[in-house]
mmCIF file of all heavy atoms in Angstrom:
data_model
loop_
_atom_site.group_PDB
_atom_site.id
_atom_site.type_symbol
_atom_site.label_atom_id
_atom_site.label_comp_id
_atom_site.label_asym_id
_atom_site.label_seq_id
_atom_site.Cartn_x
_atom_site.Cartn_y
_atom_site.Cartn_z
ATOM 1 N N SER A 204 77.183 -61.440 66.233
ATOM 2 C CA SER A 204 77.922 -60.285 66.755
ATOM 3 C C SER A 204 78.316 -60.435 68.213
ATOM 4 O O SER A 204 79.241 -59.758 68.683
ATOM 5 C CB SER A 204 77.076 -59.014 66.601
ATOM 6 O OG SER A 204 75.963 -59.046 67.487
ATOM 7 N N GLY A 205 77.594 -61.292 68.946
ATOM 8 C CA GLY A 205 77.844 -61.419 70.381
ATOM 9 C C GLY A 205 77.305 -60.248 71.187
ATOM 10 O O GLY A 205 77.640 -60.089 72.358
ATOM 11 N N LYS A 206 76.439 -59.440 70.589
ATOM 12 C CA LYS A 206 75.908 -58.252 71.253
ATOM 13 C C LYS A 206 74.398 -58.370 71.404
ATOM 14 O O LYS A 206 73.691 -58.720 70.462
ATOM 15 C CB LYS A 206 76.278 -56.989 70.472
ATOM 16 C CG LYS A 206 77.787 -56.841 70.297
ATOM 17 C CD LYS A 206 78.152 -55.583 69.568
ATOM 18 C CE LYS A 206 79.662 -55.526 69.325
ATOM 19 N NZ LYS A 206 80.436 -55.494 70.578
ATOM 20 N N LYS A 207 73.890 -58.043 72.589
ATOM 21 C CA LYS A 207 72.452 -58.150 72.845
ATOM 22 C C LYS A 207 71.671 -57.048 72.132
ATOM 23 O O LYS A 207 70.569 -57.268 71.650
ATOM 24 C CB LYS A 207 72.175 -58.099 74.354
ATOM 25 C CG LYS A 207 72.666 -59.318 75.119
ATOM 26 C CD LYS A 207 72.222 -59.289 76.568
ATOM 27 C CE LYS A 207 70.705 -59.425 76.690
ATOM 28 N NZ LYS A 207 70.257 -59.543 78.091
ATOM 29 N N ASP A 208 72.237 -55.855 72.084
ATOM 30 C CA ASP A 208 71.563 -54.734 71.443
ATOM 31 C C ASP A 208 71.640 -54.882 69.920
ATOM 32 O O ASP A 208 72.732 -55.035 69.354
ATOM 33 C CB ASP A 208 72.210 -53.416 71.868
ATOM 34 C CG ASP A 208 71.501 -52.216 71.280
ATOM 35 O OD1 ASP A 208 70.488 -51.791 71.848
ATOM 36 O OD2 ASP A 208 71.962 -51.721 70.230
ATOM 37 N N TYR A 209 70.484 -54.831 69.259
ATOM 38 C CA TYR A 209 70.448 -55.064 67.819
ATOM 39 C C TYR A 209 71.256 -54.019 67.053
ATOM 40 O O TYR A 209 72.000 -54.349 66.122
ATOM 41 C CB TYR A 209 69.008 -55.054 67.316
ATOM 42 C CG TYR A 209 68.118 -56.088 67.963
ATOM 43 C CD1 TYR A 209 66.797 -55.788 68.285
ATOM 44 C CD2 TYR A 209 68.588 -57.369 68.244
ATOM 45 C CE1 TYR A 209 65.961 -56.738 68.870
ATOM 46 C CE2 TYR A 209 67.769 -58.315 68.834
ATOM 47 C CZ TYR A 209 66.452 -57.993 69.149
ATOM 48 O OH TYR A 209 65.642 -58.933 69.728
ATOM 49 N N ASP A 210 71.119 -52.760 67.422
ATOM 50 C CA ASP A 210 71.838 -51.701 66.704
ATOM 51 C C ASP A 210 73.354 -51.876 66.831
ATOM 52 O O ASP A 210 74.095 -51.674 65.865
ATOM 53 C CB ASP A 210 71.429 -50.324 67.225
ATOM 54 C CG ASP A 210 70.013 -49.946 66.818
ATOM 55 O OD1 ASP A 210 69.461 -50.585 65.903
ATOM 56 O OD2 ASP A 210 69.448 -49.015 67.419
ATOM 57 N N GLU A 211 73.801 -52.282 68.013
ATOM 58 C CA GLU A 211 75.230 -52.520 68.203
ATOM 59 C C GLU A 211 75.688 -53.697 67.338
ATOM 60 O O GLU A 211 76.783 -53.680 66.769
ATOM 61 C CB GLU A 211 75.530 -52.790 69.669
ATOM 62 C CG GLU A 211 75.405 -51.579 70.583
ATOM 63 C CD GLU A 211 75.775 -51.891 72.018
ATOM 64 O OE1 GLU A 211 76.325 -52.990 72.268
ATOM 65 O OE2 GLU A 211 75.517 -51.038 72.891
ATOM 66 N N GLY A 212 74.840 -54.730 67.250
ATOM 67 C CA GLY A 212 75.177 -55.883 66.427
ATOM 68 C C GLY A 212 75.274 -55.517 64.952
ATOM 69 O O GLY A 212 76.195 -55.953 64.252
ATOM 70 N N ILE A 213 74.338 -54.717 64.480
ATOM 71 C CA ILE A 213 74.370 -54.278 63.074
ATOM 72 C C ILE A 213 75.600 -53.420 62.821
ATOM 73 O O ILE A 213 76.281 -53.561 61.792
ATOM 74 C CB ILE A 213 73.093 -53.495 62.721
ATOM 75 C CG1 ILE A 213 71.860 -54.387 62.831
ATOM 76 C CG2 ILE A 213 73.219 -52.888 61.325
ATOM 77 C CD1 ILE A 213 71.798 -55.514 61.833
ATOM 78 N N ARG A 214 75.900 -52.532 63.753
ATOM 79 C CA ARG A 214 77.076 -51.669 63.602
ATOM 80 C C ARG A 214 78.354 -52.516 63.520
ATOM 81 O O ARG A 214 79.273 -52.207 62.744
ATOM 82 C CB ARG A 214 77.144 -50.679 64.764
ATOM 83 C CG ARG A 214 78.172 -49.567 64.578
ATOM 84 C CD ARG A 214 77.819 -48.335 65.399
ATOM 85 N NE ARG A 214 77.514 -48.652 66.794
ATOM 86 C CZ ARG A 214 76.298 -48.526 67.345
ATOM 87 N NH1 ARG A 214 75.281 -48.113 66.616
ATOM 88 N NH2 ARG A 214 76.103 -48.814 68.614
ATOM 89 N N TYR A 215 78.396 -53.589 64.286
ATOM 90 C CA TYR A 215 79.535 -54.517 64.244
ATOM 91 C C TYR A 215 79.708 -55.081 62.829
ATOM 92 O O TYR A 215 80.824 -55.100 62.278
ATOM 93 C CB TYR A 215 79.303 -55.642 65.252
ATOM 94 C CG TYR A 215 80.155 -56.871 65.047
ATOM 95 C CD1 TYR A 215 81.454 -56.940 65.551
ATOM 96 C CD2 TYR A 215 79.650 -57.979 64.349
ATOM 97 C CE1 TYR A 215 82.232 -58.088 65.362
ATOM 98 C CE2 TYR A 215 80.416 -59.116 64.156
ATOM 99 C CZ TYR A 215 81.704 -59.166 64.659
ATOM 100 O OH TYR A 215 82.469 -60.279 64.473
ATOM 101 N N LEU A 216 78.601 -55.519 62.208
ATOM 102 C CA LEU A 216 78.683 -56.062 60.851
ATOM 103 C C LEU A 216 79.060 -54.991 59.841
ATOM 104 O O LEU A 216 79.853 -55.239 58.925
ATOM 105 C CB LEU A 216 77.337 -56.681 60.454
ATOM 106 C CG LEU A 216 76.942 -58.007 61.103
ATOM 107 C CD1 LEU A 216 75.619 -58.500 60.517
ATOM 108 C CD2 LEU A 216 78.022 -59.060 60.913
ATOM 109 N N GLN A 217 78.503 -53.798 59.998
ATOM 110 C CA GLN A 217 78.816 -52.718 59.064
ATOM 111 C C GLN A 217 80.293 -52.347 59.113
ATOM 112 O O GLN A 217 80.929 -52.141 58.073
ATOM 113 C CB GLN A 217 77.957 -51.493 59.378
ATOM 114 C CG GLN A 217 76.485 -51.641 59.009
ATOM 115 C CD GLN A 217 75.651 -50.459 59.436
ATOM 116 O OE1 GLN A 217 75.860 -49.903 60.520
ATOM 117 N NE2 GLN A 217 74.703 -50.054 58.597
ATOM 118 N N GLU A 218 80.822 -52.257 60.304
ATOM 119 C CA GLU A 218 82.218 -51.837 60.464
ATOM 120 C C GLU A 218 83.196 -52.928 60.043
ATOM 121 O O GLU A 218 84.247 -52.647 59.466
ATOM 122 C CB GLU A 218 82.468 -51.421 61.911
ATOM 123 C CG GLU A 218 81.727 -50.137 62.303
ATOM 124 C CD GLU A 218 81.891 -49.790 63.772
ATOM 125 O OE1 GLU A 218 82.501 -50.606 64.512
ATOM 126 O OE2 GLU A 218 81.406 -48.714 64.190
ATOM 127 N N LYS A 219 82.845 -54.185 60.324
ATOM 128 C CA LYS A 219 83.772 -55.285 60.022
ATOM 129 C C LYS A 219 83.708 -55.718 58.564
ATOM 130 O O LYS A 219 84.738 -56.021 57.944
ATOM 131 C CB LYS A 219 83.475 -56.478 60.930
ATOM 132 C CG LYS A 219 84.467 -57.630 60.745
ATOM 133 C CD LYS A 219 84.274 -58.717 61.789
ATOM 134 C CE LYS A 219 85.313 -59.815 61.632
ATOM 135 N NZ LYS A 219 85.167 -60.884 62.654
ATOM 136 N N TYR A 220 82.483 -55.735 57.992
ATOM 137 C CA TYR A 220 82.313 -56.296 56.653
ATOM 138 C C TYR A 220 81.842 -55.284 55.604
ATOM 139 O O TYR A 220 81.758 -55.619 54.424
ATOM 140 C CB TYR A 220 81.322 -57.467 56.706
ATOM 141 C CG TYR A 220 81.790 -58.599 57.585
ATOM 142 C CD1 TYR A 220 81.172 -58.853 58.806
ATOM 143 C CD2 TYR A 220 82.850 -59.410 57.209
ATOM 144 C CE1 TYR A 220 81.585 -59.895 59.621
ATOM 145 C CE2 TYR A 220 83.284 -60.455 58.016
ATOM 146 C CZ TYR A 220 82.637 -60.693 59.223
ATOM 147 O OH TYR A 220 83.055 -61.717 60.035
ATOM 148 N N HIS A 221 81.488 -54.071 56.032
ATOM 149 C CA HIS A 221 81.080 -53.006 55.112
ATOM 150 C C HIS A 221 79.897 -53.438 54.226
ATOM 151 O O HIS A 221 79.902 -53.197 53.013
ATOM 152 C CB HIS A 221 82.265 -52.571 54.247
ATOM 153 C CG HIS A 221 83.481 -52.222 55.058
ATOM 154 N ND1 HIS A 221 83.544 -51.088 55.835
ATOM 155 C CD2 HIS A 221 84.654 -52.889 55.247
ATOM 156 C CE1 HIS A 221 84.723 -51.055 56.457
ATOM 157 N NE2 HIS A 221 85.406 -52.130 56.119
ATOM 158 N N ILE A 222 78.905 -54.067 54.839
ATOM 159 C CA ILE A 222 77.703 -54.494 54.122
ATOM 160 C C ILE A 222 76.828 -53.261 53.898
ATOM 161 O O ILE A 222 76.397 -52.627 54.861
ATOM 162 C CB ILE A 222 76.940 -55.572 54.907
ATOM 163 C CG1 ILE A 222 77.857 -56.772 55.169
ATOM 164 C CG2 ILE A 222 75.684 -56.001 54.146
ATOM 165 C CD1 ILE A 222 77.283 -57.790 56.126
ATOM 166 N N PRO A 223 76.531 -52.901 52.649
ATOM 167 C CA PRO A 223 75.857 -51.619 52.385
ATOM 168 C C PRO A 223 74.377 -51.574 52.753
ATOM 169 O O PRO A 223 73.846 -50.499 53.050
ATOM 170 C CB PRO A 223 76.036 -51.422 50.878
ATOM 171 C CG PRO A 223 76.281 -52.781 50.332
ATOM 172 C CD PRO A 223 76.975 -53.555 51.407
ATOM 173 N N LEU A 224 73.693 -52.732 52.750
ATOM 174 C CA LEU A 224 72.247 -52.733 52.964
ATOM 175 C C LEU A 224 71.869 -53.930 53.827
ATOM 176 O O LEU A 224 72.058 -55.084 53.415
ATOM 177 C CB LEU A 224 71.515 -52.787 51.621
ATOM 178 C CG LEU A 224 69.996 -52.662 51.617
ATOM 179 C CD1 LEU A 224 69.530 -51.381 52.295
ATOM 180 C CD2 LEU A 224 69.471 -52.719 50.183
ATOM 181 N N ILE A 225 71.345 -53.651 55.028
ATOM 182 C CA ILE A 225 71.007 -54.709 55.981
ATOM 183 C C ILE A 225 69.554 -54.552 56.416
ATOM 184 O O ILE A 225 69.121 -53.461 56.789
ATOM 185 C CB ILE A 225 71.922 -54.672 57.222
ATOM 186 C CG1 ILE A 225 73.393 -54.827 56.807
ATOM 187 C CG2 ILE A 225 71.534 -55.772 58.204
ATOM 188 C CD1 ILE A 225 74.381 -54.725 57.959
ATOM 189 N N PHE A 226 68.831 -55.670 56.390
ATOM 190 C CA PHE A 226 67.454 -55.705 56.877
ATOM 191 C C PHE A 226 67.384 -56.648 58.069
ATOM 192 O O PHE A 226 67.824 -57.798 57.989
ATOM 193 C CB PHE A 226 66.505 -56.187 55.780
ATOM 194 C CG PHE A 226 66.463 -55.273 54.594
ATOM 195 C CD1 PHE A 226 67.178 -55.583 53.443
ATOM 196 C CD2 PHE A 226 65.724 -54.101 54.614
ATOM 197 C CE1 PHE A 226 67.152 -54.748 52.339
ATOM 198 C CE2 PHE A 226 65.693 -53.252 53.515
ATOM 199 C CZ PHE A 226 66.405 -53.576 52.376
ATOM 200 N N LEU A 227 66.834 -56.144 59.159
ATOM 201 C CA LEU A 227 66.706 -56.909 60.397
ATOM 202 C C LEU A 227 65.237 -57.214 60.633
ATOM 203 O O LEU A 227 64.409 -56.299 60.694
ATOM 204 C CB LEU A 227 67.277 -56.103 61.576
ATOM 205 C CG LEU A 227 67.075 -56.689 62.974
ATOM 206 C CD1 LEU A 227 67.905 -57.961 63.150
ATOM 207 C CD2 LEU A 227 67.447 -55.660 64.043
#
Side-chain angles (χ1 to χ4, degrees):
S204 69
K206 302 182 184 298
K207 291 187 66 174
D208 183 83
Y209 301 141
D210 289 344
E211 289 183 11
I213 296 294
R214 191 156 49 248
Y215 163 84
L216 287 184
Q217 288 175 321
E218 292 175 355
K219 184 172 183 179
Y220 299 109
H221 308 289
I222 302 170
L224 186 56
I225 301 177
F226 297 101
L227 173 69

